[in-house]
Amino acid sequence: MIPALLGSFLGMMATGVPVAIAMAGSALVYILLTGDLPPFVVIHRMVSGIDSFPLLAVPFFIMAGNLMNHAGITNRIYNFALSLVGWLKGGLGHVNIIGSVIFAGMSGTAIADAAGLGTIEIKAMRDHGYDLGFSVGVTAASATLGPIIPPSLPFVIYGMMANVSVGQLFLAGIVPGLVMAVLMMLTVAYYAHKYHWGGDIAFEWPRLGKAMVELGVVIGFPMVMWGMLVAGMPFNAAFGLCLLALLASDYTWKFDAVMPIMTPVLLIGGMTTGVFTPTEGAIAACVWALFLGLAWYRTLTWRMLVKVSMDTIETTATVMFIVAAASIFGWLLTATRVTDMVALWVLSFTHSPWVFLLLANLLMLFVGCFLEPTAAILILVPVLMPVVQQLGIDPVHFGLVMVLNLMIGLLHPPMGMVLYVLARVANLSIEKTTMAILPWLVPLLLSLVLITYVPSISLWLPHLFY
Amino acid sequence: MTETKPSTAPPEEHVLDETGHMHITDAPIELSHYTFEAWIAFFFFWVLAVTIFYQFFTRYALNDSAAWTEEIARYLLICVVFVGIADLVRLNRHIHVDIAYRYLPKAVCRVMSTLVDAVRIVFFAYAVVLTWQMMQKMGNYKMTIIDLPMNSVYAVCGFGFACAAVRAVQVAVEHWRQGYSVLERPEIAIEETL
C-alpha cells in the first residue's frame, strides 16, 4: 500500500493539486485502502498538528513583517541604505542588497517578497538609468538573503520539523547572510568597475555620518543593555531605561531607520539571552511595529491595519494548512517506514557526509525550483533528517544549507518561480531574465559551497551563546 | 488569446528624487472584496492577537502569565487557519506546483486543471463528513483548562471545510465558464500579487 501513498501524492502534486490537499488526500487514500484506521484520523491529526504554542510564532512573525512593509517604513529603510552605500560606485545595486539585509525575512512568502520589494527596487534603478537586466539580477540574488538573515519564517518551520531551537537557527543565519551580502556587493562592485558606473547620490560627509551614527545606535542599544544586566540591574529597569533613551534620542535627532531596524535587534537579542521564546519574540516584534506605525510615526492607517491583518491571515492559513497536512503525511511516512527505507538506501552507497551533502544540495536545488520553500521544508525534513542524524551532521547547519538551497532554487533557471515573477515585474522575456540572473549564480553558488562545506560559518555564533 | 485585461498601469512616476530620497506611496486600499468567511477569520485573528498580547503583558509586566491564555490561543489559531482556508480557495492562493502546465499541450492542461477542481471539491466535502464523524466520537470531551467542549473547536474547523467546499464549487464553475484556471495561466497569480 506504500506505492499508493507515494504514487497518489506525487500524482496529485504533479497535476497541480494544492500541496496540502495532495498530502492529506494521499494519506486518506492510504487509510481507506488499508482500512486499518478510521478515516477521520486524518482530520484529528491535521488539527492536532497545528495545536502547538511554538507555532503561534508563525502568524505574528508574518504580521510583524507585514506591518513594516508599508511606504512609511520602506522609505525610511531605503533612505538609510542610500545614505550608507548610495554614494558607492553602482550605488543602487548596493542599496538593493543592504535593503534586503534589513528587510530580511520580514515578510511572508518568497514570491510576494520578490513582487513587492522587487517592483520598488527595479523602478528606482530604472529611474537612475540602470540596465534592466542588472536590476533584475541583483534583485533576484538579494531576495535570497531574506530567509537566511533572521528573523525568518522558513527557520521557524524547519526548527519545528527538525526539533531544533529556532533561536540557534536565527543566530546561525547571521554570519552566512553577511558573507552572502559581501559576495553580492563585490559582484556589484565588479559590474560598476567594468562599466564605469558612478554613485547614485552625491557623497556628503553629513549624510554618511548620520547613517553611521544610526548604525552605532542600533549596535549600541543591545551592548549598553547587556552591560547594565551584567552590572546587576533588574531586566525591566534596564530595558525601560534603554527604551527611554532610545525614544528620546529618536525624538531629538529624527533618525531615519533606527526604530524599524530595532525590531530584529530586539527580537534576536531577546531570544539569544533567553528572555523571549520565539513566539514571544514574534509578539514583541508585532507590538513594536504597531507602536511605530500607529503612535510614533503615525504612518499606519486603520484601513491599512485591516488589510495587513487580512494578508497575515491569508499567509498564515496558506502555510499552516500545509503544516497541518504535513503532520498526517509525515506521520504516515514514518509509520510505514518509508523514511527508514530512504535512509537505508542513501547509506547503502555513501557514508560520507560530504557526498551526502552534495547529493542533498542537488535534490534541494531541484525541488526549490518549483515548490515554495516552506512547503518543501515540510516534505523534505522528515525524509532527510534520519540520514542527517546518522551521518552526524549538525541539524542547525543542515537547516541553513536547506533554506539557502531552496531560496536559490526559486530563481534558478530554467524553472525557478521567482524567475517568472521578476520577468513579469520587469516586463522582460523569460530568456532575458534567465540571462540576467545567470551571472548572479556565481556569488550565490559560491556562498552555497562555503556554507555547506565550512560548517563553522553557520555554527560559530550559535555555539558562542548556546 | 493574448492579454484581455486592459492596461491599468499608472503613469510613470519616479520613486527616487534627485536628492537621493525614496518616495514610495502605498497603493489605495480596497476592503470591499473580502468575503464573510474572511471577516470571521479576521474576528478570530484579533481575539487571538488580544489574548496573546494580554499574555505577553501579564508575563513581563506582572510576572505572572495566565495559563488559560495559552490554551485558548492555540485553539484560536486553529480556528483562524481552518476558516482562512476557505478564502484561499476562492482566491486560488493555495500553494501548488504548476510546472507541468508550462510544458504540456493546452488540451491536456484543461483536463488536468478540471481534475484538480474536482479533487478539491471532493476533498473538502469529505473533510466536512469526517469532521462530523469525529465530533460524534469526541462527544462531551472538554478542553484541559477552560470549561468548554472540544467540539466547539472542531465545529469551527467543520465550518471552514464547508465554506471551502462551497467556494471550491464556485471556483470550479467559474473555471469551467471562462475555460481556464490559474494553473493554466500562472501570470494571473503573479499579476494579483503586484
Side-chain angles (χ1 to χ4, degrees):
Chain A
M1 283 305 126
I2 295 171
L5 175 68
L6 296 180
S8 56
F9 171 67
L10 292 176
M12 281 196 262
M13 286 281 279
T15 329
V17 173
V19 176
I21 298 183
M23 288 172 143
S26 57
L28 254 178
V29 168
Y30 176 83
I31 287 172
L32 287 173
L33 283 177
T34 53
D36 298 340
L37 293 163
F40 65 75
V41 164
V42 172
I43 305 292
H44 185 256
R45 213 45 230 192
M46 276 173 75
V47 173
S48 55
I50 58 169
D51 182 7
S52 101
F53 194 70
L55 275 179
L56 276 167
V58 172
F60 294 100
F61 269 122
I62 296 171
M63 185 171 181
N66 285 342
L67 283 170
M68 307 285 282
N69 211 340
H70 65 273
I73 306 261
T74 313
N75 281 329
R76 285 173 177 277
I77 289 178
Y78 277 118
N79 285 340
F80 170 73
L82 272 161
S83 313
L84 208 59
V85 291
W87 51 274
L88 287 169
K89 287 176 180 167
L92 280 178
H94 295 293
V95 168
N96 196 323
I97 293 163
I98 296 291
S100 298
V101 169
I102 301 174
F103 270 112
M106 287 303 244
S107 89
T109 49
I111 312 279
D113 254 0
L117 286 180
T119 312
I120 296 165
E121 289 167 341
I122 290 172
K123 212 185 236 173
M125 291 180 80
R126 190 165 46 199
D127 286 354
H128 272 231
Y130 279 91
D131 167 52
L132 206 49
F134 174 76
S135 318
V136 167
V138 70
T139 303
S142 70
T144 56
L145 285 170
I148 301 296
I149 296 183
S152 130
L153 190 57
F155 279 159
V156 176
I157 304 288
Y158 177 86
M160 179 206 68
M161 289 302 287
N163 249 328
V164 179
S165 136
V166 176
Q168 284 201 39
L169 284 166
F170 278 11
L171 276 180
I174 295 176
V175 179
L178 294 179
V179 169
M180 288 169 68
V182 168
L183 285 175
M184 285 178 211
M185 288 178 77
L186 286 175
T187 315
V188 174
Y190 165 78
Y191 271 102
H193 177 76
K194 187 173 166 196
Y195 295 110
H196 307 291
W197 289 337
D200 286 297
I201 62 166
F203 178 82
E204 300 159 32
W205 270 113
R207 196 168 174 191
L208 178 62
K210 193 175 171 228
M212 290 305 227
V213 170
E214 293 195 19
L215 205 60
V217 174
V218 170
I219 298 168
F221 181 91
M223 303 273 234
V224 170
M225 198 169 145
W226 181 251
M228 285 173 155
L229 289 177
V230 170
M233 207 185 253
F235 175 80
N236 279 4
F239 182 70
L241 220 64
C242 286
L243 193 64
L244 265 172
L246 179 69
L247 293 179
S249 52
D250 191 70
Y251 186 77
T252 324
W253 289 298
K254 302 263 173 295
F255 293 134
D256 262 333
V258 166
M259 305 292 262
I261 300 179
M262 223 29 123
T263 319
V265 172
L266 286 176
L267 196 147
I268 296 157
M271 281 175 60
T272 316
T273 48
V275 178
F276 294 153
T277 63
T279 310
E280 288 163 344
I283 296 159
C286 266
V287 171
W288 182 249
L290 278 172
F291 163 73
L292 290 186
L294 293 174
W296 196 249
Y297 295 140
R298 293 170 186 264
T299 45
L300 191 69
T301 61
W302 291 103
R303 285 177 74 82
M304 239 186 247
L305 188 56
V306 173
K307 169 111 184 4
V308 163
S309 316
M310 288 297 195
D311 288 348
T312 304
I313 293 166
E314 201 181 286
T315 312
T316 304
T318 315
V319 173
M320 297 289 279
F321 186 31
I322 306 179
V323 173
S327 110
I328 172 78
F329 186 70
W331 177 68
L332 274 183
L333 281 188
T334 317
T336 53
R337 314 196 70 88
V338 170
T339 49
D340 289 352
M341 286 187 270
V342 171
L344 268 178
W345 177 69
V346 172
L347 293 173
S348 72
F349 60 82
T350 179
H351 276 280
S352 151
W354 283 61
V355 176
F356 169 72
L357 281 174
L358 177 71
L359 296 175
N361 270 334
L362 293 176
L363 171 73
M364 293 188 287
L365 265 180
F366 175 70
V367 171
C369 285
F370 44 82
L371 203 55
E372 267 282 339
T374 41
I377 290 171
L378 287 161
I379 296 171
L380 288 176
V381 170
V383 179
L384 295 179
M385 216 15 88
V387 189
V388 169
Q389 277 161 348
Q390 291 221 23
L391 291 177
I393 299 168
D394 192 310
V396 172
H397 174 222
F398 192 71
L400 228 90
V401 174
M402 176 176 272
V403 173
L404 182 53
N405 264 305
L406 295 175
M407 290 316 293
I408 299 178
L410 278 179
L411 50 95
H412 203 290
M415 297 178 291
M417 291 186 295
V418 165
L419 203 73
Y420 290 92
V421 175
L422 286 178
R424 198 76 188 170
V425 169
N427 227 341
L428 275 178
S429 67
I430 297 291
E431 292 73 28
K432 279 195 178 138
T433 313
T434 301
M435 290 315 288
I437 289 178
L438 273 181
W440 290 92
L441 289 175
V442 176
L444 283 174
L445 293 175
L446 190 63
S447 357
L448 180 60
V449 171
L450 276 175
I451 289 163
T452 308
Y453 289 115
V454 189
S456 55
I457 297 179
S458 11
L459 296 178
W460 170 72
L461 202 52
H463 283 176
L464 220 55
F465 285 92
Y466 285 89
Chain B
M1 279 258 287
T2 48
E3 289 304 305
T4 48
K5 204 175 149 199
S7 167
T8 51
E12 276 308 307
E13 59 193 283
H14 290 270
V15 292
L16 186 59
D17 67 15
E18 308 78 50
T19 61
H21 287 88
M22 279 280 197
H23 296 283
I24 308 155
T25 43
D26 287 311
I29 293 163
E30 188 53 63
L31 298 178
S32 56
H33 64 279
Y34 291 116
T35 54
F36 92 107
E37 54 277 31
W39 288 108
I40 293 171
F42 180 85
F43 168 77
F44 282 127
F45 178 76
W46 274 100
V47 177
L48 167 64
V50 169
T51 313
I52 207 110
F53 290 155
Y54 174 74
Q55 193 212 25
F56 188 72
F57 175 74
T58 50
R59 184 169 149 188
Y60 287 95
L62 313 177
N63 275 322
D64 169 39
S65 69
W68 60 268
T69 51
E70 182 181 327
E71 184 174 40
I72 200 81
R74 289 192 339 247
Y75 294 143
L76 283 167
L77 176 65
I78 295 171
C79 297
V80 170
V81 172
F82 283 91
V83 177
I85 288 171
D87 214 41
L88 293 175
V89 174
R90 187 179 65 92
L91 298 166
N92 269 310
R93 291 276 167 81
H94 281 293
I95 293 174
H96 54 230
V97 176
D98 55 13
I99 187 80
Y101 290 81
R102 295 191 197 278
Y103 299 99
L104 291 175
K106 237 178 171 159
V108 182
C109 290
R110 197 74 273 279
V111 175
M112 275 163 56
S113 142
T114 312
L115 218 61
V116 169
D117 282 342
V119 169
R120 196 157 48 180
I121 296 170
V122 171
F123 177 82
F124 285 122
Y126 193 37
V128 177
V129 177
L130 291 178
T131 312
W132 178 251
Q133 284 175 5
M134 192 177 58
M135 284 173 71
Q136 319 256 251
K137 243 335 184 236
M138 294 296 278
N140 291 325
Y141 192 78
K142 296 269 168 125
M143 294 177 184
T144 325
I145 300 172
I146 307 147
D147 192 29
L148 276 175
M150 245 339 258
N151 269 345
S152 48
V153 176
Y154 291 123
V156 175
C157 298
F159 168 76
F161 283 133
C163 290
V166 173
R167 295 294 179 190
V169 173
Q170 274 182 356
V171 168
V173 169
E174 194 187 316
H175 287 167
W176 189 255
R177 284 209 184 120
Q178 67 189 15
Y180 62 86
S181 78
V182 179
L183 283 165
E184 293 155 88
R185 304 250 179 108
E187 63 272 13
I188 302 173
I190 295 172
E191 213 70 66
E192 273 173 9
T193 55
L194 292 184

